[in-house]
Amino acid sequence: MKLFNITYILAFIAALGLNAQQMPAAKQAEAVSIVGATAHIGNGEIIENSLIIFEDGKITMVGDATAAASQAKGEIINAKGKHVYPGFIAPNATLGLVEIDAVRATDDEDEIGEMLPHIRSLIAYNAESQVTETMRPNGVLLGQIAPRGGFISGTSSIVQFDAWNWEDAAVKNDDGLHINWPNSVRRGRWWMGEDPGIKPNKEYQENIMNLKSFFAEAKAYLAGDRKESNLPYLAMESVFNGDKKVYVHVNGEKEMLDVIQFKKDEKLDDLVIVGAYDALKIADELKANSISVLTGRPHSLPNQDDDDYDLPYKLAAKLSKKGILVGIEGSGSMERMNSRNLPFYAGTAVAYGLNKEEALKLITSNTAKILGIDDFAGTLEEGKDATLFISEGDALDMRSNLLTDAFIQGRKISLDTRQTKLWKRYMKKYERQEAGK
């Protein structure tokens, strides 16, 4: 019986090993030179015949291979006819916080309570998520892991997608506080006997006052003797001193105007609006107040009957042309699985008004600036992390986004996932059928 139990346990562990994420790549051991690719720098520039060298996880050279080919060293990758890009960045994601929606024990995206600035999404991040590893074959190599729920959800962090644990994954700890702004209108609650139509939210102003009161109480506590420990108030200190950005999740025109006033009242220098569905209506105010925007998922339907049918498709392009710093986020239904479509969201912006290099900025340099990581990510430039990939074609087009190599901080990572393994398995099945075997 004892032998049976041991055998069962070993078999179970082996099964877990088969389903776990593959082993993270080893630290870069020698220089790598990518020669001949069309380099999309991420800041709008292109080098047609490029030479990119990186050592010890950092880019040491980006130039024209025609003049500098002799400088190539270490492992040389001939990428002639291919394209090289900086790793794409997925902001406002819950990757690694939920593995299976129907299994409550795997859901760590939300906590009980309303004012939760002390909640840190990073410590709940699962670096071995099978969902997260499916981002990498599309070039999504970095992400902002953000909490959900409550009035103040908590604090996000930036991670890279090839790590043993959350400590290894983190590239920027506790980058920003996330606030869910209330709606000025709501639908009637039919289950309470209310008219199901849309009506003003009578609690809207009260909700805003509750938020302002919390901010005031936190400031008073931090200015006092702090004899009694209060974690939510203590967590606000880094917001007030500017170490943390403030991300406000809001979509309506009136609500965004109220957010702008809240920014002024609370003297919040670095505030980002997430969602921003009605942002075109107040684009001038956003620009005047130096507010950057993470627009919602482009592959969505309009919210209102009288909206342009293609408003979600063209929103990022329209705001960019207004001079607003714009990135794209993908929250919503099945958001974790759909995060892999981030490059194709940017590709949609190409179809609706932006050129390809400007659209690329929406998921590289622009997002890096918004998240405050542009000193080491977002572009292919000397001194930045060697987090990049090589694609056979245009990475913003799902027909040609075919990665051959990818690197995170100079480490060559695997592009195999559970999905690619299943694809290869069933391809063999049909190949055998065609061969009559």
Side-chain angles (χ1 to χ4, degrees):
M1 186 67 178
K2 184 176 180 181
L3 179 60
F4 173 80
N5 288 337
I6 293 174
T7 303
Y8 179 81
I9 291 170
L10 290 175
F12 180 72
I13 292 173
L16 286 177
L18 290 174
N19 288 320
Q21 189 183 50
Q22 63 269 6
M23 185 179 296
K27 185 178 179 180
Q28 183 180 4
E30 65 171 331
V32 175
S33 300
I34 301 174
V35 182
T38 298
H40 302 264
I41 306 302
N43 59 5
E45 299 176 9
I46 298 177
I47 301 176
E48 294 292 348
N49 179 30
S50 68
L51 171 61
I52 298 174
I53 303 174
F54 50 95
E55 303 177 68
D56 298 323
K58 295 288 184 180
I59 298 174
T60 56
M61 179 181 177
V62 179
D64 191 326
T66 305
S70 61
Q71 298 183 41
K73 57 183 176 179
E75 179 188 356
I76 297 176
I77 300 175
N78 182 356
K80 187 175 179 61
K82 298 179 182 178
H83 300 257
V84 60
Y85 294 86
F88 299 151
I89 308 165
N92 185 38
T94 53
L95 291 163
L97 298 184
V98 183
E99 193 68 7
I100 304 171
D101 289 293
V103 180
R104 189 173 181 181
T106 73
D107 188 339
D108 288 317
E109 69 177 349
D110 190 5
E111 292 292 337
I112 296 173
E114 291 298 317
M115 303 295 185
L116 305 169
H118 57 299
I119 296 299
R120 304 175 66 219
S121 63
L122 180 61
I123 60 174
Y125 176 71
N126 174 19
E128 293 194 351
S129 168
Q130 289 188 26
V131 179
T132 299
E133 74 175 10
T134 65
M135 304 300 114
R136 303 186 309 201
N138 278 1
V140 182
L141 306 181
L142 297 165
Q144 179 196 43
I145 309 306
R148 296 285 188 262
F151 204 162
I152 298 179
S153 301
T155 301
S156 58
S157 291
I158 319 296
V159 302
Q160 50 85 8
F161 294 149
D162 183 62
W164 291 100
N165 48 47
W166 65 262
E167 292 98 330
D168 290 339
V171 294
K172 185 171 185 178
N173 294 351
D174 305 323
D175 70 292
L177 183 76
H178 290 254
I179 297 174
N180 296 306
W181 198 261
N183 289 321
S184 62
V185 297
R186 64 176 176 82
R187 292 187 180 275
R189 295 165 291 187
W190 58 267
W191 59 92
M192 296 182 66
E194 296 178 355
D195 180 354
I198 296 176
K199 60 186 68 179
N201 179 7
K202 296 179 181 179
E203 299 173 352
Y204 179 65
Q205 291 300 329
E206 180 184 345
N207 290 335
I208 294 176
M209 289 306 301
N210 288 339
L211 180 62
K212 290 183 176 180
S213 295
F214 179 82
F215 269 61
E217 291 165 6
K219 289 177 181 176
Y221 171 84
L222 294 169
D225 55 26
R226 310 188 191 187
K227 286 184 179 179
E228 294 185 9
S229 179
N230 187 306
L231 292 180
Y233 291 161
L234 286 170
M236 294 298 294
E237 186 168 24
S238 55
V239 174
F240 298 142
N241 64 24
D243 288 343
K244 281 183 189 172
K245 291 174 179 277
V246 176
Y247 298 90
V248 182
H249 299 243
V250 59
N251 284 296
E253 177 185 3
K254 171 178 171 48
E255 290 85 346
M256 284 188 281
L257 289 173
D258 289 339
V259 168
I260 292 173
Q261 187 59 50
F262 177 75
K263 176 183 185 292
K264 295 175 181 177
D265 293 343
E266 299 298 334
K267 297 179 173 58
L268 301 172
D269 294 332
D270 205 343
L271 184 145
V272 179
I273 286 182
V274 182
Y277 181 85
D278 282 336
L280 274 177
K281 299 177 182 178
I282 59 164
D284 293 339
E285 288 86 349
L286 293 172
K287 184 178 179 181
N289 287 277
S290 303
I291 294 177
S292 51
V293 167
L294 291 171
T295 63
R297 190 187 302 176
H299 297 174
S300 304
L301 295 173
N303 286 351
Q304 306 295 333
D305 291 342
D306 57 352
D307 288 337
D308 291 350
Y309 74 93
D310 56 356
L311 177 60
Y313 299 156
K314 64 185 180 183
L315 180 59
K318 292 284 188 180
L319 290 174
S320 294
K321 290 182 178 181
K322 292 281 188 179
I324 297 170
L325 184 63
V326 180
I328 296 178
E329 60 98 17
S331 61
S333 176
M334 294 190 68
E335 62 180 79
R336 288 168 293 282
M337 294 70 176
N338 279 310
S339 294
R340 74 191 68 156
N341 291 325
L342 185 67
F344 314 136
Y345 297 158
T348 297
V350 176
Y352 283 83
L354 289 183
N355 66 51
K356 287 185 179 180
E357 300 312 309
E358 288 298 311
L360 178 64
K361 290 164 67 174
L362 298 175
I363 56 175
T364 55
S365 60
N366 282 12
T367 300
K369 289 174 185 175
I370 291 171
L371 301 185
I373 59 173
D374 53 309
D375 57 332
F376 63 85
T379 56
L380 301 174
E381 296 180 279
E382 292 180 21
K384 293 196 176 184
D385 285 357
T387 299
L388 50 90
F389 65 89
I390 302 170
S391 174
E392 290 187 4
D394 180 0
L396 304 188
D397 185 339
M398 65 178 64
R399 296 168 300 180
S400 55
N401 179 315
L402 300 170
L403 273 63
T404 58
D405 301 274
F407 302 84
I408 293 179
Q409 297 171 332
R411 298 175 288 111
K412 187 171 183 177
I413 63 171
S414 170
L415 295 173
D416 281 335
T417 71
R418 181 173 177 79
Q419 292 177 338
T420 59
K421 290 174 182 176
L422 287 172
W423 172 71
K424 291 175 183 177
R425 174 183 175 183
Y426 284 99
M427 280 298 292
K428 289 180 181 178
K429 172 185 177 182
Y430 292 111
E431 287 170 359
R432 289 175 182 173
Q433 287 180 348
E434 289 181 358
K437 296 181 180 179

